[in-house]
């Protein structure tokens, strides 16, 4: 599974908890949104993360 920025943005847009985590990452680590999205992907989506199925479902819609 690979990181797709547009797919990750959509996943965050649809999930309030991920929105909060993204904002926390940006604030806590002083990251730009692009880098925070990628960090969130690796933390909560990639390699069997909590939101992997939701992310893959978005890929199936494309």
């Amino acid at each position: 599974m690979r990181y797709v920025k547009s797919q990750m943005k959509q996943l965050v847009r649809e999930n309030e908890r991920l929105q909060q985590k993204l904002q926390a990452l940006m604030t806590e680590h002083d990251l730009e949104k692009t880098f925070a999205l990628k960090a969130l992907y690796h933390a909560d989506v990639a390699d069997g993360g909590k939101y992997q199925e939701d992310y893959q479902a978005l890929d199936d819609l494309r």
Side-chain angles (χ1 to χ4, degrees), residues 8-22 40 44 50-51 54 58:
M8 191 61 194
K9 283 174 117 177
Q10 184 177 353
L11 180 66
V12 170
R13 212 176 309 127
E14 294 175 357
N15 188 304
E16 190 173 324
R17 181 149 162 52
L18 285 177
Q19 289 174 21
Q20 293 169 352
K21 288 184 87 168
L22 178 66
L40 191 60
D44 289 339
K50 184 175 181 179
Y51 298 97
D54 296 337
L58 291 174

Side-chain angles (χ1 to χ4, degrees), residues 37-51:
L37 273 172
K38 200 166 214 177
L40 191 60
Y41 168 80
H42 287 288
D44 289 339
V45 176
D47 299 327
K50 184 175 181 179
Y51 298 97

